Amino acid sequence: MPAALQAFAGQLVQMFLVLLIAPAAAGITRQVKARLMRRRGAPILQGYRDLVKLVRKEAVIAENASWFFRAAPYLIFALTWVAAALVPTFASGLMFNWAADVVALVALLGAARALLALAAMDVGTSFGGIGSSREMMIATLAEPAMLLVVLTLALSAGTTRLAGVAEFYVTQPWAVRVSLALALVALIIVALAENARIPVDNPATHLELTMVHEAMVLEYSGRHLAMIEAASYLKLVVYISLIICMFAPFGMAPAAGGPQAWVVGGLAYFAKMSLAAAVLGIWEVSIAKMRVFRVSEFLGGAFVLAFIAILLAFLSIEVLR
């Protein structure tokens, strides 16, 4: 098989791989939480059934909703899917990995967030306004910390491309780096906030005083809600894949390795994804949700950790010189 065709086939496989495993990753988290609380819980595949059920239902739309309210779910899903497809998963160096820049990834996710916030305010309900304002507050604190984490890794790897970062840390001898440890903690905090997980938000609640993401999607139903739910599943996969790619890329196959190497890399990716989803479930059972007014302190801690990480990365570069 020609190299270009092989790289294209690998990229196509990755696009549909992240789409297929996204509901399962959320299902593993829900199943672990249920078991730890001594409940049977929904099956891991329940997410797929929910999406099919929503697609079959009729979409009920408010009378004063504009065309933007109808188009936003599809745009949000498309942007999130592109972001998930760009992050290297089972192999690095695929056809479109040149575009897998972390700064571009943050821009794609930020555009999807802005679309969701605008769509929530389009109908003019109070819940939509509350959820949008809280979402934007979280975004203003999370995105700077995310960019500092990116710069910390870029200083060591010499690039902001995810494929280059993964290949750099795979080839480097294993060593404990304080800057990377702090950047990892900061990125995990950002991932929890961006995915509306505990302690920032509880995806299973509809209480007015606590909900953030759910407040923005209350007016959606049917196929529109299916698109938004699928995008939320994909967003969780994006951040878990990002953490795996930048901090645990071991087992990732080279793009030129062929289908056999891809299978090994895919199995390693599935194992790491399942482990991360299970750890998320354990974390959410072990900690309580914080008040909305404490979220700024939580994300401020992520910014401080990321800032210290980038300072240590600068110092290490100066010492090596």
Side-chain angles (χ1 to χ4, degrees), residues 23 41 56 61 72 89 97 118 134 136 144 167 172 191 217 225 234-235 259 297 311 321:
R56 291 177 177 176
I61 301 174
T89 55
N97 276 176
L118 290 173
R134 291 174 178 175
M136 290 299 102
E167 291 170 1
Q172 290 295 310
V217 303
L225 183 58
L234 281 170
K235 192 174 183 180
E297 299 177 9
L311 288 180
R321 287 179 181 177

Side-chain angles (χ1 to χ4, degrees), residues 59-84:
V60 180
I61 301 174
E63 294 181 356
N64 57 338
S66 67
W67 64 268
F68 182 79
F69 183 82
R70 298 175 176 86
Y74 302 100
L75 295 174
I76 293 167
F77 174 77
L79 289 171
T80 312
W81 190 12
V82 170

